[in-house]
Amino acid sequence: MWSHCFSSIFLLSALLTFTAASSDECVYTMYVETGSVIKAGTDSKISIALGDSNNKSVSIPNLKDWGLMGRKHDYFERGNLDIFSGRGPCIGHPICRINVTSDGSGSHHGWYCDNIQVTSSGPYRGCSQSIFHVDQWLASDAPPYQLSVVLDACGLLAQSTNGPNLLAQSTNGPFIVRKPVGSARQ
């Protein structure tokens, strides 16, 4: 009888632990488009951090680990639209900040990131979509000579203003973040 009781308690405990852990996790899906300019592709490790207006964030240290295109697929190549998905802690909607970083490794370290579309959903939460128009080289040998870029429109959410070419949000569509006016497409 004690063994049956113990195994029932163990099973219930495991079930409650799993339920508690999974109810705070969301699924994040990203479509990452590499530019079509010459040498736009990279062999470097790409990491991403997603954030909300309450300074909560989700970090993906190696985006390839979330890849859905198959183990032999060559991610982040010129003109590619690569798909990634994984689970992480739920953060608020919309996702309004992204930090994209290249570690600069590999024989082709420079990468031209065109845009990143992020969709998030979780238990008892709505679905949210954000599109980040990066339009920038992440390279040490091409302007702006940086291996990382941050696009942050979280402050604009509080202001509810739509500055020209900074932010566009429709009530039924995705949250769209663009680079500020004057940022030259390199």
Side-chain angles (χ1 to χ4, degrees):
M1 174 165 164
W2 284 108
S3 65
H4 182 272
C5 185
F6 177 74
S7 61
S8 294
I9 291 173
F10 177 75
L11 208 61
L12 182 60
S13 173
L15 181 62
L16 290 175
T17 301
F18 175 75
T19 304
S22 64
S23 67
D24 287 341
E25 283 195 332
C26 284
V27 174
Y28 298 90
T29 301
M30 286 165 274
Y31 289 83
V32 178
E33 187 171 2
T34 297
S36 58
V37 297
I38 302 294
K39 296 187 178 185
T42 190
D43 295 324
S44 297
K45 182 172 90 172
I46 304 298
S47 61
I48 288 184
L50 305 170
D52 67 10
S53 60
N54 294 320
N55 290 322
K56 288 185 175 183
S57 63
V58 173
S59 294
I60 303 111
N62 186 354
L63 194 54
K64 284 184 186 177
D65 291 343
W66 283 20
L68 298 180
M69 310 293 286
R71 291 185 319 154
K72 294 184 179 184
H73 180 73
D74 198 4
Y75 290 97
F76 312 117
E77 291 304 313
R78 179 180 172 203
N80 272 12
L81 179 63
D82 299 315
I83 307 169
F84 306 88
S85 189
R87 293 187 327 178
C90 292
I91 61 175
H93 292 162
I95 294 171
C96 52
R97 180 183 314 107
I98 193 167
N99 180 331
V100 185
T101 302
S102 167
D103 72 351
S105 66
S107 57
H108 301 287
H109 72 279
W111 180 46
Y112 192 91
C113 180
D114 192 35
N115 68 75
I116 300 174
Q117 301 174 40
V118 182
T119 303
S120 64
S121 62
Y124 309 107
R125 297 174 183 263
C127 183
S128 173
Q129 183 183 24
S130 299
I131 301 173
F132 296 91
H133 291 278
V134 179
D135 293 324
Q136 178 176 317
W137 282 101
L138 276 68
S140 57
D141 61 352
Y145 306 104
Q146 299 172 346
L147 291 174
S148 161
V149 62
V150 176
L151 294 179
D152 187 350
C154 293
L156 295 174
L157 284 173
Q159 297 172 7
S160 295
T161 59
N162 290 329
N165 206 23
L166 272 178
L167 171 72
Q169 182 179 8
S170 71
T171 54
N172 294 323
F175 185 76
I176 300 172
V177 181
R178 292 186 173 86
K179 292 175 75 173
V181 173
S183 295
R185 189 173 193 176
Q186 305 294 332

